[in-house]
Amino acid sequence: MLESIIQSLQYIKPEAALTATFLCAILADLIFKKKEITAAVVIAGILVTAVYVFQQVGERASVFSRMLAVDPFAIFFKFLILLSALIIVFFSLFSNEVNNNKRRIGEYYSLLVAMVIGMFFMVGASNLLMMYLSLELTSISSYLLAGITKEARDSAEASLKYVIYGALSSGLMLYGISIVYGLTGALDIYSVNSVLAQGGTNTITLLIAGALIVAGFGYKISAVPFHFWTPDVYEGAPVSITAFLSVASKAAGFAMLMRFSKVVFIDSSVLSLPAGMWATIHGVVWTDILIILSVITMTLGNLVAIWQDNVKRLLAYSSIAHAGYMLLGLVVLGNDGFAATMIYFVMYLFMNLGAFYVVMLVANKTGSEDIETYKGLGSRAPLLSVSMTIFLLSLTGIPPTAGFVGKLYIFAALINAKLIWLAVIGVINSVISLYYYVRIFRNMFLRDAEGEQAPLTFHFAHTFLLLVLVVPTLALGLYFGPLVEFAQYSVAMFGVK
Amino acid sequence: MIPLNFYLILSAFMFCVGVLGVLVRRNAIVVFMCIELMLNSVNLSLIAFSSYLGDPTGQMLVFFVMTVAAAEAAVGLAIIIALFRNKQTVNIDEINILKW
């Protein structure tokens, strides 16, 4: 026992490095007056962690008595989370909202790292206990971060709503876990799978348990009907945190959901399917649950987004709709579908962070996130407006942007799996989404500015970070071969074919 | 020996009371109490299963749930205090700047 624990320790170097970063950030905040030093410590910590994750590439192991899996799948998501965390630290450095709270800036950065630790455990969790704990670690840090600018009334309100919805969903998930434990006598997802595969479990009870567990995942990825917190929290939280929640936290939630659906409900004894496709255990309607979830998520997200006048809130509904598209990849129970969702996430990272970054820059200068503020922005800040247009076109999925390639792979996987009607619903939804994205760039280019007319100028570093996000959004739309290969390689999980 | 069913029915009942409380009650602190009730009903069913199956993992999970529930309550109460300083109320109906 002790030996296996010591053996396992070498596999959690990235998490250990992050924990050290968390502590160093708190210390740096206490010792140094200059707040940029805390940010520098966090950036250094993230880079060291990236090196450790890099060393794990190719590893396939299960550590701490099958609590955690270290496999290509987890490593893919760890890179994704680290990249977005790094970009978010730079966002925070440039954000007035964050920097106006001098006293709490140290806590801000250390909680950001705590959230990353939680997500690292989420992507590797292969035990229901570990899944619950890592989900809570991520959530509790994000409740605090959403309310970090607590003098602003909407921030505290967003935080309260987040904590209530979060606690409710994790309570539902926990009840589902207790039922699964009662049915199978195990918490380890591989053992749960082998007990379920023998058959004889009550299907109705299993369905209820599955639906309850989906509540926990659905809340993390903001799928309808567990999305109620999303618009409020996205609007009330500082933009940098909103952007982080919309990308990294969603990615971690998806990674956990993907591992859960691939390990728990798959019957590995079915051999009649083509390679790379899986069958669910007889009597489990997991695919149907996912189909319903994804269709209502994207439709509701897109339809409600049409009525929004606050750009942050509009992007919140757009991110709900994107969760719906990504769930389409999961519906295809096969390597194709999972790889498509993973590719989509990389594209989504750049375009969504980019859109939120533009919102942040505009809010820094004008103090408003209202869609009316964007009137005439095309002449006041041309580079910013063109970049925003690129991000929005990419979010719609128009070639030659990254978003198009992401959607292409998801719809191709659906068509290969003979789910053409689902692909059609997805395409119709993309068309609806064009309507509300167009509202933003119509305001930017076709309307004249009201009131303030002076051009907006930005610091060189701010413009540079904007380019760092624009270039991949365009480049990944044209050259995506290596990314696709990496995603297809990373579908491999520990313990399953 | 009380049969397993009794525990499960009690736990399901407590859980439903908790969920209803979260949805219906308007005082943020009562909402948090209802969340605690939900988590404790889960603990009851985990312990009942664990003892019925003769397997200690369920009881182990209970310890973690209690710890997390305490952390969550601490954060939740801190947020309620921050909000109370702004608005002088803990009534959820009056906390409504953000909607649709």
Side-chain angles (χ1 to χ4, degrees), chain A residues 152-165 228 232-233 236 313, chain B residues 25-32 76-77 79-100:
Chain A
R153 270 170 45 187
D154 54 351
S155 184
E157 180 180 333
S159 192
L160 180 70
K161 287 186 174 167
Y162 199 8
V163 85
I164 290 176
Y165 285 121
F228 293 104
D232 292 346
V233 172
R313 212 172 168 82
Chain B
R25 297 304 294 260
R26 301 273 60 111
N27 183 314
I29 293 173
V30 179
V31 168
F32 270 91
L77 289 176
I79 290 169
I80 291 178
I81 290 172
L83 193 71
F84 185 76
R85 286 193 182 139
N86 277 328
K87 295 209 66 169
Q88 271 71 46
T89 179
V90 289
N91 188 328
I92 292 185
D93 282 336
E94 290 168 35
I95 303 171
N96 53 5
I97 321 171
L98 303 168
K99 56 185 162 193
W100 281 103

Side-chain angles (χ1 to χ4, degrees), chain B residues 15-86:
Chain B
F15 189 78
C16 294
V17 171
V19 173
L20 268 181
V22 173
L23 299 177
V24 173
R25 297 304 294 260
R26 301 273 60 111
N27 183 314
I29 293 173
V30 179
V31 168
F32 270 91
M33 281 161 59
C34 293
I35 288 169
E36 291 296 311
L37 192 63
M38 280 167 64
L39 293 179
N40 282 325
S41 75
V42 172
N43 285 350
L44 179 65
S45 81
L46 277 171
I47 293 173
F49 279 131
S50 173
S51 135
Y52 176 76
L53 295 166
D55 170 59
T57 28
Q59 296 178 29
M60 179 189 72
L61 180 54
V62 170
F63 280 110
F64 285 98
V65 174
M66 290 197 295
T67 325
V68 170
E72 212 163 43
V75 168
L77 289 176
I79 290 169
I80 291 178
I81 290 172
L83 193 71
F84 185 76
R85 286 193 182 139
N86 277 328

Side-chain angles (χ1 to χ4, degrees), chain A residues 187-205:
Chain A
L187 286 173
D188 168 14
I189 53 175
Y190 306 107
S191 316
V192 169
N193 174 254
S194 57
V195 175
L196 290 182
Q198 285 162 14
T201 35
N202 187 327
T203 331
I204 304 286
T205 324

Side-chain angles (χ1 to χ4, degrees), chain A residues 101-254:
Chain A
N101 291 290
K102 279 269 176 281
R103 275 176 50 226
R104 284 194 295 276
I105 246 174
E107 286 145 45
Y108 173 87
Y109 285 116
S110 42
L111 283 169
L112 202 65
V113 179
M115 224 172 130
V116 178
I117 301 174
M119 291 175 198
F120 264 50
F121 282 121
M122 270 169 90
V123 299
S126 62
N127 186 303
L128 294 173
L129 164 63
M130 198 64 215
M131 285 184 171
Y132 172 69
L133 279 182
S134 51
L135 186 100
E136 284 291 342
L137 177 54
T138 316
S139 301
I140 290 178
S141 320
S142 44
Y143 301 150
L144 291 169
L145 282 173
I148 200 96
T149 52
K150 62 179 178 185
E151 286 80 13
R153 270 170 45 187
D154 54 351
S155 184
E157 180 180 333
S159 192
L160 180 70
K161 287 186 174 167
Y162 199 8
V163 85
I164 290 176
Y165 285 121
L168 179 68
S169 325
S170 66
L172 291 174
M173 180 183 181
L174 205 56
Y175 196 61
I177 290 178
S178 85
I179 297 175
V180 169
Y181 174 68
L183 283 174
T184 62
L187 286 173
D188 168 14
I189 53 175
Y190 306 107
S191 316
V192 169
N193 174 254
S194 57
V195 175
L196 290 182
Q198 285 162 14
T201 35
N202 187 327
T203 331
I204 304 286
T205 324
L206 193 60
L207 179 70
I208 294 171
L212 286 168
I213 291 180
V214 162
F217 293 129
Y219 141 78
K220 209 70 212 156
I221 63 175
S222 56
V224 178
F226 315 104
H227 69 288
F228 293 104
W229 61 276
T230 317
D232 292 346
V233 172
Y234 281 23
E235 186 181 340
V239 190
S240 48
I241 294 307
T242 305
F244 198 47
L245 288 177
S246 75
V247 175
S249 165
K250 198 170 278 202
F254 258 98

Side-chain angles (χ1 to χ4, degrees), chain A residues 14-15 17-18 21 44-54 82 120:
Chain A
E15 286 83 354
L18 281 172
T21 314
I46 289 175
L47 293 177
V48 171
T49 312
V51 173
Y52 282 131
V53 178
F54 201 75
L82 276 182
F120 264 50

Side-chain angles (χ1 to χ4, degrees), chain A residues 27 49 71 171 215 257 289 308 326 355 360 362 373 446 449 464 496:
Chain A
L27 277 180
T49 312
D71 50 17
L257 176 60
I289 294 182
Q308 302 308 319
M326 289 186 263
M360 188 185 93
V362 173
T373 324
L446 302 178
F464 182 74
V496 278

